[in-house]
Amino acid sequence: MTAPVPGSRLLALLPDLAPWRVSRDFRRLWVAGLITNFGSFLTFVALPVQMKELTGSVVAVGAIGAVELVPLIVFGLYGGALADALDKRALILWSEAGQGLLCAGLLVNALLPEPLVWPLYLVAALSSALVAVQRPALDSIVPRIVPHEHLPAAASLNSLRWTVGGVAAPALAGVVVAYAGLGWAYAADLATFVASVALAVGLSPSPASHEAARPSLRSIAEGARYAWSRKELLGTYAVDLAAMFLAMPLALLPFLADELDAEWSLGLMYAALPAGALLVTLTSGWTSRVHRHGRMVVLAAALWGLSVMAAGLVRDVWLVRDVWLVLAFLVLGGAFDMVSGIFRAAMWNQTIPDELRGRLAGIELLSYSVGPQLGQVRAGGMAAWTSVRASVWAGGVLCVGAVGLLALCLPQLMSYDVRTNEHAARLRERRGTFPDGPPVTPG
């Protein structure tokens, strides 16, 4: 019997780098996304800061999110149809270039002797629309450039890229905005878009499948009908929506820090969720060995709810200030949310046909983007009706209950096994026949 190699178990936890090794296009997209992520956080921080400086109004700052929501919903669905009907590389390239132009507009406005308010709202709305158009193309191109068996590892690596940016970028953005100024923040973001466009230019063409439908309301409805017919997919959308709508605590963190008499901890609270997600992605090697993805989605979402509930219930414990327990539970919550996200992405990429992947990616965009935004409304309203802590822990309780109910109502989600699922087997066979992905000819 061969003795185990020292450290082999630890190495098995490290991220699986197979997608990096086998796919040049995946490497390009990953690096471009990492660069853009850092730059986008500069604008994410700078835009509300500038709005606050220009207006002094909390309502005006909050309205930025409102003007972003409608384009996200409308163009998320239409962007999915475009991703199926057009060359994905072209969509990624031109939407990235468009984002760069919008950032240039913010830079010009910031350099004016008296910067204007309306361009901030206009750029926020247009940027949200471009993100909604680009994201389905980014999501649907991955199954084409990464071998089928490496798709779970690709999901983990993409999550790692996001979490690295989520932890480090806000801190960097705060320093740049505070000490260098808004103009430098926008200029740095513009430079990152130039770099990411240069990387996107080198991507291989990814034309529409010959089976893809032209972008229209009918093609969008076709994608929605397909999603409805796949109850395990429907379950992934519903579970994520429930978890984010009922238990996302971000809007309450400033008030929670005040209640804990620990205003200094607010930045740590915002960083705690992505920090937990980062811990999972850095040790995500185990995810490739899990086959019952639906059960992991449900379990992780329920544990996310329990973590949020615990963060709202903690009180001072002997030798431990409650703020540190809150931070610990937020880190746990971020970790469980990332586990759910990894397995949702694996289910999507390993079972959805190429000709429908863009439209389903548009639906996915709504499921993980709209939920958190509406969740802020839920959290704030419940806090006003009860209290801050009650809103946090009650949201966690409601999340666990909703996830459990969805698991009971959607047994296909709980029974999903990538080894035996008919849709996964069919797509695996197609990609086995065509190792570089399904045949794609201009439609």
Side-chain angles (χ1 to χ4, degrees):
M1 184 174 180
T2 305
V5 178
S8 59
R9 291 184 179 180
L10 179 60
L11 291 174
L13 291 175
L14 297 178
D16 184 354
L17 300 180
W20 257 75
R21 292 194 298 268
V22 303
S23 175
R24 165 186 167 274
D25 281 347
F26 182 81
R27 290 194 298 272
R28 279 184 169 270
L29 278 180
W30 197 93
V31 174
L34 181 65
I35 293 171
T36 302
N37 197 23
F38 270 85
S40 296
F41 265 106
L42 290 167
T43 297
F44 178 78
V45 172
L47 192 64
V49 168
Q50 186 175 22
M51 182 67 74
K52 175 178 175 292
E53 290 181 355
L54 294 177
T55 68
S57 169
V58 177
V59 175
V61 175
I64 295 174
V67 301
E68 291 174 335
L69 184 58
V70 174
L72 185 68
I73 295 173
V74 174
F75 287 93
L77 292 173
Y78 191 66
L82 289 175
D84 283 334
L86 303 177
D87 188 299
K88 294 174 175 55
R89 170 189 174 274
L91 272 179
I92 294 168
L93 178 60
W94 289 110
S95 57
E96 194 77 354
Q99 291 273 36
L101 289 175
L102 292 177
C103 190
L106 288 175
L107 175 59
V108 171
N109 184 59
L111 296 177
L112 293 176
E114 296 184 7
L116 303 172
V117 170
W118 66 264
L120 305 186
Y121 288 121
L122 179 62
V123 168
L126 292 177
S127 178
S128 180
L130 284 176
V131 168
V133 168
Q134 185 189 71
R135 188 58 186 262
L138 282 170
D139 288 346
S140 59
I141 202 174
V142 173
R144 288 188 170 190
I145 62 177
V146 175
H148 187 82
E149 65 273 17
H150 296 317
L151 288 173
S156 297
L157 289 174
N158 281 335
S159 299
L160 174 63
R161 179 192 68 199
W162 177 86
T163 53
V164 167
V167 173
L172 175 64
V175 172
V176 172
V177 171
Y179 294 100
L182 295 166
W184 282 104
Y186 293 137
D189 191 12
L190 177 58
T192 66
F193 279 117
V194 172
S196 61
V197 166
L199 286 166
V201 167
L203 293 173
S204 303
S206 186
S209 166
H210 68 282
E211 300 171 349
R214 294 183 179 276
S216 64
L217 290 177
R218 177 177 294 181
S219 68
I220 293 172
E222 180 187 1
R225 284 194 298 271
Y226 177 82
W228 182 260
S229 71
R230 294 277 311 279
K231 301 307 181 189
E232 69 276 26
L233 289 184
L234 193 65
T236 64
Y237 307 146
V239 165
D240 190 43
L241 273 171
M244 295 298 101
F245 173 67
L246 295 171
M248 176 55 77
L250 286 183
L252 302 178
L253 295 185
F255 305 96
L256 187 59
D258 286 344
E259 282 199 7
L260 297 171
D261 193 26
E263 292 82 359
W264 55 268
S265 70
L266 180 58
L268 293 177
M269 288 185 181
Y270 278 121
L273 292 176
L278 180 60
L279 290 175
V280 169
T281 54
L282 288 174
T283 58
S284 60
W286 60 274
T287 60
S288 298
R289 298 185 290 278
V290 175
H291 306 292
R292 294 185 177 275
H293 298 163
R295 292 186 181 183
M296 290 301 298
V297 169
V298 170
L299 177 62
L303 291 172
W304 150 263
L306 286 174
S307 300
V308 173
M309 179 192 72
L313 288 174
V314 294
R315 292 292 186 270
D316 284 327
V317 179
W318 182 61
L319 293 183
V320 181
R321 285 195 63 184
D322 49 356
V323 64
W324 293 109
L325 287 175
V326 169
L327 290 170
F329 284 123
L330 290 177
V331 169
L332 277 177
F336 291 129
D337 183 46
M338 179 52 63
V339 171
S340 177
I342 288 173
F343 288 108
R344 290 197 311 271
M347 288 179 66
W348 299 336
N349 288 335
Q350 289 186 309
T351 67
I352 299 173
D354 182 74
E355 63 273 12
L356 286 164
R357 189 67 190 89
R359 279 165 284 177
L360 272 292
I363 296 174
E364 292 151 18
L365 174 68
L366 297 185
S367 77
Y368 58 68
S369 297
V370 174
Q373 291 184 308
L374 293 178
Q376 307 315 305
V377 178
R378 192 283 314 166
M382 186 173 285
W385 180 44
T386 56
S387 68
V388 171
R389 291 203 185 198
S391 179
V392 174
W393 69 255
V397 171
L398 291 172
C399 170
V400 174
V403 169
L405 183 61
L406 287 169
L408 289 174
C409 295
L410 296 167
Q412 296 92 333
L413 178 62
M414 294 298 290
S415 63
Y416 175 87
D417 188 322
V418 69
R419 296 168 297 184
T420 57
N421 179 268
E422 60 175 313
H423 303 283
R426 187 178 302 120
L427 198 58
R428 187 162 52 242
E429 182 179 353
R430 289 182 67 184
R431 289 182 63 84
T433 305
F434 307 99
D436 296 325
V440 286
T441 56

